[in-house]
Amino acid sequence: MTAQPTQTGKIIISVDAMGGDSGPGVVVAGIAKSAKKNPEVGFLLHGPKDVLSKLVSKRRVLDGRVVFRDCPDVVTMQDKPSQVVRSGKNTSMWSALESVRQGEAHGAVSCGNTGALMALSMMRLRKLPGVNRPAIAILWPSRNPQGFNVMLDVGADVRADAKDLLQFALMGASYARNGMELTRPRIGLLNVGTEEHKGRAELKEAHALITDFADQANFDFVGFVEGSDIPGDKADVIVTDGFTGNVAIKTGEGTASLIGDLLREAFKYSPLSRLASVLAITSLQRLKKRIDPRRVNGGVFLGLNGTVIKSHGGADATGVSAAIKLAFTLAKSGFAEKLAARVASTAELEQDAAQSALQTK
Amino acid sequence: MTAQPTQTGKIIISVDAMGGDSGPGVVVAGIAKSAKKNPEVGFLLHGPKDVLSKLVSKRRVLDGRVVFRDCPDVVTMQDKPSQVVRSGKNTSMWSALESVRQGEAHGAVSCGNTGALMALSMMRLRKLPGVNRPAIAILWPSRNPQGFNVMLDVGADVRADAKDLLQFALMGASYARNGMELTRPRIGLLNVGTEEHKGRAELKEAHALITDFADQANFDFVGFVEGSDIPGDKADVIVTDGFTGNVAIKTGEGTASLIGDLLREAFKYSPLSRLASVLAITSLQRLKKRIDPRRVNGGVFLGLNGTVIKSHGGADATGVSAAIKLAFTLAKSGFAEKLAARVASTAELEQDAAQSALQTK
């Protein structure tokens, strides 16, 4: 499936303008931000055309860069995924994915309902041959030189067996290679301790499978890692099930946000500390930029025929623009095709590895 | 089981002096710190007497406050819990728990190997009647007025079924009542979303059980909460299985520590920011104190006949002293007896609630 750009020479990103917490105005502001920075990007924008065209016409930088796909319905945060799959045909989310399916766009971005987006993506784009459970991968600020670690799954599914975890390792390694230019990423398997006897049965089995597979798949397996290694420098890619991953990132986000608020409070406490905050402002802004979740906004759905990015529901223009940049980078590197090829070529090896691991247990 | 203080009128804490990362010197410094602040506390100190008595004799404040229990062996961080249970009879950890079992002390504190401490505690102190899985509860900095939330289990076991989660809710509520003086604590059940249809099957079952039980047990059940609520103000007690809880707290700790390091870096960046850090120093120290993990050091083992506190392996004197303060507070409030009474009186009700929940499913 090769994408057919509607605007010659551009990489086209299909954008669901609706369903985010802040409405389509913020999404249009986000794509304008991207358009300004990146002359190579063009957009397919999905939603009620009368609303969207007014918003777009106010942004000169979007002249000739946006093609509209008119759709009347919106998937809300309250809609159940199963409902959307049955009756969501006229929604902007459905339409945004359809453009990827038809090869009109190189990738899709949506700020909408995660469960619905995953369910629709699985139904319309289908899983890659050899993939059992797709996963959502995010970037997390870390002590590594690249500044971020990849973590997956963070919520596509609440379960993952040993074979799923092996596939997450493969897909995460491929993402790290293409999205972060790490030639030989280090993979860690999340557990409650680093000793091999620790943790649940499926983790011990996954440990054996991934060990057997690391060399063929061109990554290093560092074994079990702990929650403290998610922002650490022991591994570049953290593999876990979607329940644990989701709780972990939300705990990290909540903790970071609490510290940020307490820090602001601390700087307001006295005239001296207010003066200090003025003097430190550039340093603090640099720190904020380094760990700002908006700048790494975007969960990538891995394991589908096509690239889908889930932007945070509460993303502002900077957040939307970051998600679009990620979609662009992955499209430009041919990530979807490379991942498909890797999963296909390794599906057989994987079968062998799984069998031999089970035999030697 | 009523504790028999060896020093008249004092609350006696049994302290395992060995097995921490920093050796017995730090433990003795910690108990000295506690002794100085709190005239009501006395100690039973377990470890090689020749080493310990030298350390204690250097601290005038400990004169007449410490009774030694000489034991030659130490449980190391590498020892497997099963080994320690079989052959750990001469270790300081075993001896520290034995003092609680014999009623010589009101509670035990150890900085040693968590798995071994839990296994030994279960074997020597036994589970409370009606408790299936004991849990480790910690305090986590939060936006609530009390400054902290209780979270359990953070690693006693990697599994928990619906009935275990109900017991965690009960035990967590009791801990919040006695340790934090909250008369009607709000309990949240950790999940990947707050909607009732989300998450794993055992969580939906636990949701029903805890709902049925909240009123009888005198707590409010706020339903499902997410990782971001662990440091939040929606609930006072966060209930989860030991795998998820362990990953969550380590992720939070790792993220906080990364932010702290980046903040220090930011303040070193330029002469202006160095000046700012000097001006802001009191504010920053207040912030640090507010979220300093050493000040809430101590995982409480809940569900046993006796109070056992696991201090962080890398705890310094401040950390050890915080763990002792927690043991003292709980002993003084008669927590162990109250928890036992609550679990016993509710075990029957619990059975009924479980059955009716299963019937109405």
Side-chain angles (χ1 to χ4, degrees), chain B residues 121-361:
Chain B
S121 298
M122 279 175 68
M123 185 188 61
R124 300 305 293 162
L125 302 181
R126 299 275 164 199
K127 294 186 279 185
L128 285 174
V131 169
N132 177 33
R133 285 184 215 277
I136 305 177
I138 55 132
L139 296 179
W140 190 257
S142 82
R143 295 177 192 273
N144 272 318
Q146 69 270 23
F148 297 95
N149 291 340
V150 173
M151 170 141 156
L152 75 166
D153 176 26
V154 300
D157 199 324
V158 292
R159 277 166 303 267
D161 65 18
K163 208 159 163 279
D164 296 327
L165 293 168
L166 169 61
Q167 285 183 339
F168 294 176
L170 283 170
M171 297 194 297
S174 192
Y175 178 40
R177 243 180 254 117
N178 292 283
M180 301 168 89
E181 296 175 17
L182 295 171
T183 42
R184 201 176 165 88
R186 295 161 303 156
I187 312 292
L189 183 59
L190 192 60
N191 198 351
V192 294
T194 53
E195 303 90 339
E196 289 196 18
H197 66 275
K198 284 210 171 172
R200 294 167 169 163
E202 72 266 27
L203 286 176
K204 290 171 211 173
E205 202 187 316
H207 191 290
L209 285 177
I210 300 175
T211 303
D212 283 358
F213 213 74
D215 249 2
Q216 297 146 321
N218 197 29
F219 60 73
D220 286 326
F221 180 46
V222 300
F224 289 138
V225 296
E226 301 183 271
S228 48
D229 298 314
I230 297 174
D233 57 7
K234 263 197 208 167
D236 306 300
V237 177
I238 314 286
V239 168
T240 189
D241 66 273
F243 186 90
T244 310
N246 185 277
V247 167
I249 60 159
K250 285 181 181 163
T251 305
E253 281 170 359
T255 303
S257 139
L258 174 64
I259 295 174
D261 288 354
L262 293 173
L263 195 60
R264 260 183 296 278
E265 252 174 56
F267 274 120
K268 278 186 198 151
Y269 192 75
S270 68
L272 214 57
S273 60
R274 278 195 292 274
L275 175 60
S277 74
V278 174
L279 294 178
I281 200 153
T282 19
S283 303
L284 290 174
Q285 273 168 347
R286 202 168 32 243
L287 165 66
K288 202 179 158 197
K289 193 170 166 182
R290 171 87 162 75
I291 58 166
D292 187 350
R294 296 178 308 165
R295 295 190 177 263
V296 287
N297 182 34
V300 183
F301 290 6
L302 298 176
L304 301 167
N305 291 297
T307 299
V308 179
I309 311 247
K310 166 64 174 80
S311 162
H312 201 288
D316 60 8
T318 306
V320 171
S321 172
I324 285 165
K325 186 181 171 190
L326 179 57
F328 176 86
T329 306
L330 292 176
K332 187 138 194 190
S333 76
F335 171 62
E337 294 74 21
K338 285 185 195 164
L339 179 65
R342 173 146 318 252
V343 172
S345 76
T346 51
E348 215 172 289
L349 285 169
E350 189 180 326
Q351 207 84 28
D352 299 349
Q355 273 166 1
S356 76
L358 287 169
Q359 280 158 5
T360 57
K361 258 212 308 194

Side-chain angles (χ1 to χ4, degrees), chain A residues 328-347:
Chain A
F328 176 88
T329 307
L330 292 176
K332 188 139 194 188
S333 76
F335 171 62
E337 295 74 18
K338 284 185 194 164
L339 179 64
R342 168 138 333 242
V343 172
S345 76
T346 50

